[in-house]
Amino acid sequence: GDSVTQTEGPVTLSEGTSLTVNCSYETKQYPTLFWYVQYPGEGPQLLFKVPKANEKGSNRGFEATYNKEATSFHLQKASVQESDSAVYYCALGENNYAQGLTFGLGTRVSVFP
Amino acid sequence: NAGVIQTPRHKVTGKGQEATLWCEPISGHSAVFWYRQTIVQGLEFLTYFRNQAPIDDSGMPKERFSAQMPNQSHSTLKIQSTQPQDSAVYLCASSGGQGNTEVFFGKGTRLTVV
């Protein structure tokens, strides 16, 4: 079945430094790839999604490129802020969502001033 | 738009008791999902309804878990004879349906079985 593997957390950073959270996936299909972010006491919320290989998604300074050859979808941000502290989930899903989304285990990111 | 509403936010049950969790999807959304979230397993897909019909329950533990969607405005997840290993945050999500549409999550119900 489908699977998603991402950087094991926690990741601790200082404000202004760069962030990379690695994500690799396995699937026999042609999925849409997602990054979700979850703040304490909230459900996961979509950060951005990329439906096609070799395309890039971005939002709030975060970006990731759908690399079909490497089966990767690494999340990057050049300069993090304290408000970026959250748990980040990489996920994949088929366009008809018949199987729901397959999530990675999540990466807790803590940014200190 | 209040988003996906889940009640209760917290529930404590004794071992062997029944727990019912409620979800109100976003109005007009035709797809409803249930997920279970734990530190060890992360987010696990449980079950999926589309237009109130059960489509996929491949993630549901067969013996004690059941989910229904009696109308388009709510879904329930019932756990019979709860066990400590059922302790988790249960998340409900909805989306507009088939196609490349966003899935919106509720804030979850934290179930603690003592």
Side-chain angles (χ1 to χ4, degrees):
Chain A
D2 296 344
S3 68
V4 176
T5 303
Q6 57 182 104
T7 299
E8 186 173 337
V11 174
T12 303
L13 301 165
S14 298
E15 270 191 325
T17 59
S18 64
L19 169 69
T20 298
V21 179
N22 290 332
C23 172
S24 60
Y25 64 91
E26 290 186 19
T27 181
K28 295 181 180 179
Q29 306 296 324
Y30 301 93
T32 294
L33 300 180
F34 303 79
W35 276 104
Y36 276 80
V37 58
Q38 186 174 24
Y39 300 102
E42 301 287 329
Q45 55 186 261
L46 181 67
L47 188 56
F48 57 84
K49 62 184 177 185
V50 180
K52 294 183 180 179
N54 302 320
E55 293 190 351
K56 179 188 287 187
S58 64
N59 187 18
R60 299 189 231 163
F62 292 90
E63 62 180 28
T65 299
Y66 187 156
N67 188 328
K68 184 180 176 184
E69 288 69 34
T71 63
S72 68
F73 191 54
H74 304 320
L75 180 69
Q76 296 179 311
K77 187 173 186 181
S79 178
V80 295
Q81 302 174 337
E82 191 174 358
S83 57
D84 295 326
S85 297
V87 179
Y88 292 83
Y89 290 94
C90 183
L92 66 83
E94 305 309 321
N95 284 338
N96 66 3
Y97 294 119
Q99 300 293 324
L101 297 175
T102 299
F103 286 87
L105 288 180
T107 302
R108 181 174 299 279
V109 174
S110 298
V111 181
F112 294 93
Chain B
N1 185 348
V4 176
I5 299 172
Q6 291 189 248
T7 54
R9 292 295 314 278
H10 303 274
K11 186 173 183 66
V12 180
T13 62
K15 182 180 175 181
Q17 292 184 330
E18 181 178 285
T20 300
L21 312 180
W22 296 76
C23 171
E24 180 180 329
I26 293 173
S27 178
H29 279 187
S30 59
V32 173
F33 305 84
W34 284 95
Y35 289 83
R36 177 169 62 183
Q37 184 175 35
T38 61
I39 292 175
V40 175
Q41 298 292 335
L43 278 160
E44 298 175 275
F45 168 78
L46 294 177
T47 189
Y48 160 52
F49 295 85
R50 186 170 68 237
N51 296 324
Q52 300 173 232
I55 302 298
D56 179 4
D57 67 353
S58 59
M60 292 276 275
K62 296 303 181 189
E63 292 187 349
R64 299 182 292 105
F65 284 60
S66 62
Q68 290 82 37
M69 191 162 185
N71 56 60
Q72 63 183 6
S73 63
H74 89 272
S75 175
T76 58
L77 179 68
K78 183 179 293 185
I79 308 172
Q80 296 178 311
S81 185
T82 55
Q83 303 298 311
Q85 61 265 30
D86 299 331
S87 298
V89 175
Y90 290 85
L91 290 160
C92 178
S94 71
S95 80
Q98 279 194 314
N100 201 7
T101 56
E102 182 176 347
V103 175
F104 294 84
F105 283 84
K107 295 184 178 185
T109 294
R110 180 176 295 278
L111 175 67
T112 303
V113 182
V114 298

